[in-house]
Structure formats: C-alpha cells, structure tokens
C-alpha cells in the first residue's frame, strides 16, 4: 500500500511501499457503460484553426510520446516528446518541430487535433468533491479522492488543462451533460480490448482515455538529465516516452538498476509523516482512499527498493516542474498507460 507523499498534500513526494492485499478491495467507481462514451457532436458552423504545436502534441500523445498536458504551447515536455519521437523514427534529435519531423507526422494527417463531443450524462454526474481538502486528515474522511468538478475531470480525460479547455471553447461556454464541447482529440477506448476489472480499473482507463491494449515493455529507463521515462520494446526500440518528476536535492532519484515488482491500480495511500523530512512527526498517520486526486494518482508501480516507485499525480501540470521525495511521478494518463505496459520482473533503470 503506497505510503508516498505527493501531489495534493505537497507538490513533492515520495516514499512508499506496495499494499500486498490491495487487489482484495474493489474501488466503488462508475461501471464501463455507455455513460462514459463521448459521441461526436454535429459539425460546428464556425471554423476552428488548429495550430501546428497543438496538432503535434495530439499526434505525439496518440503515438505514445507524451507531451504531458496538451496545452498548445512550447515547453520542456513538448520538446522532450519531439526528441523521443525523432529518436524512435530515426530523425535528427532537435527537439523542434522542424521540416523532417513535420513530414514524418504527415503519416497521420487524417487525425484532427481537436473534436467537438457531447458530454455524456454518466461522466457529468461525477461524483465530485467541490471543497477538496488540503490536509491528509481531512482527505482521509472522504470515501474516494475524486475530481473537484466536471472541468477537472474533462481536462484529465482529454490530457489537457482546464485553462486549455477554456481557450478552446471560450469562457462563456456552458459545461454540462448533453452539451457540445471542443476537446483535444483523445478518442474513446476500444472496449473489446478491456481486461479484468479489478478495483474499477476499466472505468479508470475509460475516464482517462487510455487504451487497455498497449505494447509490452522490455525495460524502462528513467533519465534524470532528460527528465523523462523511456519505454523500450523487445527489439530495444524506443516505443514510448513520458515526462516525469523525479527526486530532489534532499531526496535524490535512487540511481541504479531495479526491477518492477508489481502494479497497484487505483491504490489506497498510507500517509505516514515519519517518512518525510519536511512533515512534522506529530501529525497522525492516515489511510487515504483511491481516486485520481490521490497523492499517488491512479497507479502505483512498485520497484524492488523499499518505499520507492513510479506513480500518477493529482497535479498533472506540475510534471517536470516540481520535485519529489525520490519517486518518479507521471500524469495520471501516462501512469495508467505505463501500468498496461509493464509486468513483474521488467527492468527499471534509473540513471543520471
């Protein structure tokens, strides 16, 4: 059961350990039914002009080279995603949307950068936690660490930020069930590929727009200098890359060759103040229930170093911009994707 501190409690985290009995408990969450499918709306009369950066970010996300949050802006995570794509497709490693990279991305020119969807009623009903508490003791009283509101849930579903949704739709656009809404083009999942639904995982994948069927990882490499987690396939080819937050001066990334021991999906979180140098030992240890706003997000990927792992976050916009207590932190959608790629025994190399 994770004991890592991150995200909603501090924008730093973590020290943790897996819950060996986690899968014995099922998370109460929405069932995977039609209430989570985003249907396309009628074509809009007004034209929408997509920018090259927004289009590239969406395509990179589709291909597994995550830019982090899709925001239509240049930044370190976007440049890293471009470098990952360029390395995988034997292009010059520039980190820029140069002419050769644009030509390579033309293979997917039929994929639009955005789509206008109808917000489904099941998605819009939540449940939400409008007055989400900051303190662990107050969070421990919640039955689940859910989203604060529909806009936050939509932002995670479409791998973006609430601010970007406002930019795409306008501040006056109403958000609610049955309403049309423009979003980055992150498609519905193929339900025929769903597997075992332990702890409500299928609904979590659907709520994050993460396909259950992912290529298998032969090894993962956490590269501190590049600020990314790389996934290599069986032919030692780079098949995916995610921006990551990793370590700090007080709690550095544990450099070395480790192994993944297992994956906890929708994990509970043991908050133990004694594990953190910047938290008073007088505070009570508490158990936090699962949810996307958990300090460890929707997934905990355990490695064979006690209290360390790879996990999601409640604050996706901080990835690559904050510090952690030594763990590797990803957006929830990237953590969920990685959880579908690894298995016990997968090597995890942490390097400078």
């Amino acid at each position: 059961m994770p004991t890592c501190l991150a995200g909603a409690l501090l924008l730093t985290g973590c020290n943790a350990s897996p819950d060996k009995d986690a899968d014995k408990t099922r998370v109460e969450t929405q069932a995977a039914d039609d209430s989570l499918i985003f249907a396309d709306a009628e074509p809009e009369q007004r034209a929408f002009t997509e920018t090259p950066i927004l289009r590239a970010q969406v395509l990179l996300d589709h291909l597994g080279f995550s830019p982090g949050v899709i925001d239509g802006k240049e930044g370190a995570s976007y440049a890293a995603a471009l470098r990952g794509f360029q390395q995988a497709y034997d292009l010059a490693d520039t980190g820029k949307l140069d002419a050769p990279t644009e030509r390579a991305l033309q293979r997917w020119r039929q994929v639009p950068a955005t789509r206008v969807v109808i917000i489904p009623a099941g998605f819009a009903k939540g449940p939400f936690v409008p007055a989400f508490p900051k303190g662990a003791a107050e969070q421990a009283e919640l039955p689940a660490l859910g989203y604060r509101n529909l806009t936050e849930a939509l932002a995670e579903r479409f791998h973006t930020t609430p601010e970007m949704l406002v930019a795409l739709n306008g501040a006056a656009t109403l958000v609610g069930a049955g309403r049309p809404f423009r979003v980055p083009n992150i498609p519905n999942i193929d339900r025929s590929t769903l597997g075992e639904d332990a702890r409500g995982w299928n609904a979590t994948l659907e709520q994050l727009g993460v396909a259950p069927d992912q290529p298998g990882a032969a090894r993962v490499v956490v590269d501190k200098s590049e600020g990314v987690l790389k996934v290599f396939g069986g032919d030692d080819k780079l098949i995916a890359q995610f921006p990551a937050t990793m370590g700090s001066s007080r709690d550095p990334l544990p450099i070395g060759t480790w192994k993944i021991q297992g994956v906890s999906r929708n994990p509970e979180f043991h908050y133990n103040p004694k594990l953190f140098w910047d938290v008073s030992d007088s505070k009570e240890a508490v158990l936090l229930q699962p949810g996307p706003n958990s300090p460890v997000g929707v997934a905990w990927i355990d490695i064979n170093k006690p209290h360390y792992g790879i996990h999601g976050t409640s604050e996706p916009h901080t990835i690559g911009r904050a510090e952690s207590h030594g763990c590797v932190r990803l957006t929830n959608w990237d953590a969920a994707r990685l959880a579908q790629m690894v298995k016990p025994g997968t090597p995890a190399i942490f390097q400078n």
Side-chain angles (χ1 to χ4, degrees):
M1 191 178 291
T3 54
C4 176
L5 182 63
L9 301 178
L10 289 177
L11 293 185
T12 59
C14 84
N15 276 292
S17 58
D19 178 6
K20 303 301 183 185
D21 298 320
D23 287 338
K24 294 181 181 178
T25 306
R26 182 180 179 83
V27 175
E28 290 186 10
T29 187
Q30 296 171 343
D33 58 30
D34 289 348
S35 67
L36 298 180
I37 293 177
F38 284 80
D40 289 320
E42 293 294 325
E44 283 190 324
Q45 297 302 313
R46 63 184 179 93
F48 174 80
T49 303
E50 60 187 39
T51 66
I53 294 175
L54 176 60
R55 177 171 178 72
Q57 286 180 333
V58 169
L59 291 179
L60 290 167
D61 184 290
H62 278 228
L63 296 168
F65 298 93
S66 173
V69 294
I70 295 171
D71 58 6
K73 300 176 183 178
E74 293 192 75
S77 294
Y78 170 56
L82 285 169
R83 285 194 298 271
F85 173 80
Q86 289 162 343
Q87 291 165 13
Y89 286 83
D90 298 321
L91 300 169
D93 181 358
T94 66
K96 297 183 181 300
L97 188 60
D98 51 27
T101 304
E102 286 194 285
R103 285 196 296 271
L105 288 172
Q106 280 298 305
R107 290 172 56 184
W108 299 276
R109 59 183 174 273
Q110 77 282 3
V111 178
T114 67
R115 55 192 285 239
V116 180
V117 299
I118 297 297
I119 300 173
F123 192 94
K125 73 180 181 182
F128 301 117
V129 189
F132 196 91
K134 292 183 178 180
E138 293 76 19
Q139 289 180 13
E141 296 176 2
L142 298 174
L145 301 183
Y147 295 115
R148 295 168 178 84
N149 50 51
L150 176 57
T151 301
E152 184 182 37
L154 285 166
E156 288 238 323
R157 167 60 183 81
F158 293 100
H159 306 181
T160 187
T161 64
E163 293 77 13
M164 185 61 180
L165 293 178
V166 172
L168 289 174
N169 293 277
T173 302
L174 297 177
V175 183
R179 294 188 179 277
F181 204 65
R182 185 175 291 278
V183 294
N185 183 21
I186 304 301
N188 296 309
I189 69 169
D190 179 358
R191 287 181 168 176
S192 69
T193 62
L194 286 169
E196 183 182 351
D197 193 29
R199 299 177 62 80
W201 185 242
N202 286 347
T204 297
L205 291 174
E206 195 148 22
Q207 289 161 346
L208 291 170
V210 173
D213 191 14
Q214 298 287 340
R219 63 185 173 101
V220 300
V221 175
V222 176
D223 192 300
K224 185 177 179 181
S225 65
E226 295 188 46
V228 297
L229 183 151
K230 300 182 177 185
V231 184
F232 293 87
D235 56 359
D236 209 36
K237 183 177 177 61
L238 181 64
I239 58 174
Q241 180 183 286
F242 312 118
T245 291
M246 54 190 80
S248 66
S249 58
R250 290 293 298 261
D251 295 291
L253 181 74
I255 303 301
T257 299
W258 312 101
K259 283 188 178 182
I260 289 170
Q261 297 196 128
V263 178
S264 293
R265 294 169 170 86
N266 289 324
E268 288 144 344
F269 171 69
H270 270 287
Y271 169 53
N272 184 355
K274 292 183 172 59
L275 292 175
F276 307 105
W277 61 267
D278 50 359
V279 180
S280 171
D281 287 354
S282 65
K283 291 188 178 293
E284 293 285 333
V286 293
L287 176 66
L288 306 183
Q289 295 303 311
N293 271 325
S294 164
V296 292
V298 301
W300 170 266
I301 299 171
D302 196 42
I303 65 171
N304 62 328
K305 180 174 176 61
H307 309 307
Y308 287 87
I310 304 165
H311 62 87
T313 182
S314 59
E315 304 286 348
H317 63 281
T318 68
I319 295 300
R321 298 175 173 85
E323 295 183 328
S324 79
H325 281 97
C327 288
V328 178
R329 194 160 72 239
L330 312 173
T331 67
N332 274 335
W333 53 89
D334 289 340
R337 191 168 191 166
L338 182 63
Q340 299 300 101
M341 304 177 83
V342 299
K343 61 184 179 182
T346 301
I349 301 159
F350 291 9
Q351 64 187 32
N352 282 312

